[in-house]
Amino acid sequence: CVVNCSSLQSLVSLFFFLQVVVLESSSRFGGWLWTTRRSDGAVFEHGPRGIRPAGAVGRNTLNMVDDLGLGGEILPVTYSHVASKSRYLYVNKQLHRMPSGISGLLRTVPPFSRPLLLSVATEILVKKGKEDDETIHSFISRRLGKELADIVVDSLCRGVFAGDCRKLSVRSCFPLFYNAEQRRGSLTLGMLLGSGPSPVVPPGPLAQRSIKESWAQWSLRRGLESLPESITEYLLQSGKVQIHRDAAVTHISPSASGWKIHLEDGVVSADHIISALPAKALSAALPSSCQPLVQQLQDISSVTVAVVNLEYEGSILPVMGFGHLLPSSEDHGVLGVVYDSVSFPQHNRPDGQSTRLTVMMGGAWFQDVFGDPDAVTEEHLLARATEAVQCHLGVTTAPSWSWVALHRDCIPQYYQGHFRRSMCNFIKEKNLSLSLIGSSYGGVSVNDVIFSGRTAVEELLGAGV
């Protein structure tokens, strides 16, 4: 069995049953989980920086962290922490704290024109939609009003998907919302009464602790790249898994026993492939006999995001919180700024006070604002990021340290109608020994991607492996 990964998934138990070969195209494991650890002790995340513990997929990840012996490395952020209670929007060239608690919902708080509780209260009376899918913006406008869709949901989709809520599918991006309306006729009732069954994942010790202590998110002491590093070490120590770095797949062809996977310097035979490749990369590697699967994979778009890490001397933030997002009406180029030092001060360098920020830019608007990703310079992206920090937060000093990372095609976009893609049906009909996992299909979060790996193994070998 070959696992073709851009990041190691939760396939740890698979090697007890089969010979497993892991192929990684780059020189490191972890994909977008990418951490810089400076010699002075500072830690910077160039990809995801916090993982949510909630739900079945959140418990699944924490159970794996437990299995890897990383429980002692956890940095939890509780719901009572200022980073959980204070999140901001930058609208009309001002920072606005998102309302929280009953008092915040009862009052009219800028940038909104009326109390948010009115939108929530009247939502129960809105009739259920008749379409089998719609854009997130259309769905929220219909149920909660255009203002919330234009400001809050537009910003949220830029922060989570780096995407345009006027194109993204509510059914695929926020299935909880879609199912709430379908089953209860209302978002509010769906949140209160439940919107349908979810996977059963019993909580292990760490997941139980997260519930008891009310964690909102968590990281690891040496950064989130510790997770794939620990998985890699676990697999190597088992002695039962072949792991190959710098092993880019050029193409895949069918064989009598399953597949031949062609690399730049050789061929690997496999009876089954579990592919975590991005959809377009897999489509380019599959044989023409796999149409229409190839076309369906090609049709899944993704966006490019620039991530700029900045370190400033001293305490320079005018407000404390998780960070702030911008709706597309405010600035197409800048998606948001994360106040890393607030959520995870343990990642600051230990000697002397400093402030770490991350500016996220581009996404669905990258080409329009910055042009061709292959032509844009790091200097231009850095200048744009520091300008945003100056304008939004009033920071007049220059950063003492910076890092610019350009993540090409890093977040798949589930456009309206994404759920209709019949890739899995084609695989079943043709009896292909192929499993699709990763962020291109059923969720873009770290938790979703890990759980898709677990699900593929259970489907292949049976639950309980």
Side-chain angles (χ1 to χ4, degrees):
C1 180
V2 168
V3 183
N4 189 273
C5 299
S6 57
S7 61
L8 283 175
Q9 313 302 329
S10 58
L11 306 176
V12 175
S13 57
L14 185 58
F15 64 76
F16 289 116
F17 298 86
L18 301 169
Q19 179 186 8
V20 178
V21 180
V22 177
L23 302 177
E24 165 59 49
S25 63
S26 74
S27 59
R28 53 174 285 279
F29 290 107
W32 304 120
L33 292 180
W34 180 20
T35 305
T36 287
R37 303 171 183 121
R38 270 197 341 222
S39 58
D40 63 1
V43 174
F44 295 85
E45 300 285 13
H46 310 306
R49 62 212 54 247
I51 298 177
R52 293 176 59 81
V57 295
R59 292 193 297 274
N60 177 68
T61 301
L62 283 175
N63 289 350
M64 185 174 70
V65 170
D66 247 341
D67 293 340
L68 293 167
L70 288 173
E73 297 293 303
I74 285 273
L75 301 177
V77 178
T78 65
Y79 279 104
S80 62
H81 193 281
V82 65
S84 305
K85 294 193 297 183
S86 298
R87 294 168 183 259
Y88 295 84
L89 295 173
Y90 187 77
V91 181
N92 298 325
K93 301 191 182 307
Q94 285 187 315
L95 280 179
H96 302 277
R97 184 174 180 267
M98 282 291 294
S100 63
I102 294 297
S103 62
L105 295 175
L106 287 172
R107 294 181 292 115
T108 299
V109 181
F112 307 107
S113 62
R114 66 175 191 164
L116 295 186
L117 192 62
L118 283 178
S119 299
V120 175
T122 56
E123 188 272 336
I124 297 177
L125 305 176
V126 177
K127 291 182 180 179
K128 185 166 71 173
K130 297 179 180 179
E131 302 298 323
D132 60 3
D133 195 7
E134 63 185 305
T135 68
I136 299 170
H137 187 274
S138 168
F139 180 89
I140 297 299
S141 294
R142 181 169 55 78
R143 299 214 63 87
L144 291 167
K146 187 173 182 296
E147 186 176 64
L148 276 179
D150 286 348
I151 298 175
V152 178
V153 173
D154 183 292
S155 302
L156 176 65
C157 289
R158 282 158 60 86
V160 175
F161 302 99
D164 186 347
C165 66
R166 292 161 182 79
K167 296 180 180 178
L168 294 172
S169 156
V170 70
R171 182 166 179 168
S172 297
C173 294
F174 293 114
L176 195 65
F177 291 177
Y178 176 81
N179 290 333
E181 183 186 53
Q182 291 300 307
R183 292 175 180 273
R184 303 293 184 183
S186 159
L187 282 178
T188 308
L189 293 177
M191 297 300 118
L192 291 173
L193 304 175
S195 56
S198 62
V200 177
V201 178
L206 201 56
Q208 290 175 18
R209 182 186 154 200
S210 75
I211 297 168
K212 181 180 179 181
E213 297 177 3
S214 297
W215 296 1
Q217 60 168 324
W218 58 270
S219 183
L220 295 168
R221 194 165 300 280
R222 302 184 70 245
L224 287 181
E225 194 174 349
S226 298
L227 184 56
E229 287 172 346
S230 295
I231 297 173
T232 305
E233 185 62 27
Y234 184 95
L235 296 178
L236 287 172
Q237 288 183 357
S238 75
K240 298 176 182 178
V241 180
Q242 296 180 37
I243 295 182
H244 300 275
R245 293 176 171 86
D246 299 308
V249 174
T250 58
H251 66 281
I252 301 167
S253 58
S255 69
S257 59
W259 303 97
K260 286 193 180 296
I261 301 164
H262 300 263
L263 312 175
E264 291 177 355
D265 59 355
V267 178
V268 176
S269 296
D271 56 359
H272 194 96
I273 294 174
I274 299 176
S275 173
L277 286 172
K280 276 191 169 60
L282 179 60
S283 73
L286 286 172
S288 57
S289 60
C290 285
Q291 287 285 9
L293 174 60
V294 169
Q295 186 60 53
Q296 295 236 0
L297 292 168
Q298 286 176 348
D299 289 342
I300 300 176
S301 300
S302 56
V303 296
T304 294
V305 177
V307 176
V308 182
N309 301 102
L310 301 170
E311 181 184 47
Y312 291 86
E313 296 304 313
S315 178
I316 51 94
L317 288 171
V319 295
M320 298 294 282
F322 179 82
H324 67 264
L325 294 171
L326 291 81
S328 57
S329 58
E330 189 72 27
D331 185 333
H332 279 182
V334 179
L335 306 173
V337 182
V338 182
Y339 313 159
D340 298 302
S341 289
V342 178
S343 295
F344 300 110
Q346 304 92 332
H347 287 163
N348 287 353
R349 68 172 194 262
D351 59 322
Q353 192 170 38
S354 63
T355 302
R356 292 173 302 105
L357 305 175
T358 302
V359 183
M360 301 169 294
M361 303 186 296
W365 298 266
F366 194 98
Q367 198 85 19
D368 293 341
V369 176
F370 300 104
D372 185 350
D374 292 329
V376 69
T377 64
E378 289 189 3
E379 290 77 13
H380 179 57
L381 294 172
L382 176 59
R384 188 71 176 82
T386 53
E387 177 191 9
V389 171
Q390 180 178 348
C391 292
H392 302 175
L393 300 172
V395 177
T396 56
T397 58
S400 56
W401 185 90
S402 62
W403 183 296
V404 178
L406 185 60
H407 299 318
R408 291 173 174 81
D409 298 320
C410 62
I411 305 181
Q413 302 293 285
Y414 304 161
Y415 291 145
Q416 185 178 356
H418 179 82
F419 81 98
R420 297 190 194 97
R421 300 188 191 281
S422 55
M423 294 166 294
C424 291
N425 290 338
F426 178 85
I427 290 170
K428 288 177 182 176
E429 288 170 8
K430 300 298 182 182
N431 200 27
L432 296 179
S433 50
L434 173 66
S435 301
L436 304 181
I437 65 172
S439 60
S440 293
Y441 314 106
V444 301
S445 74
V446 174
N447 287 331
D448 290 329
V449 171
I450 290 173
F451 195 75
S452 74
R454 167 183 169 154
T455 303
V457 173
E458 290 182 343
E459 289 176 353
L460 186 60
L461 301 176
V465 294

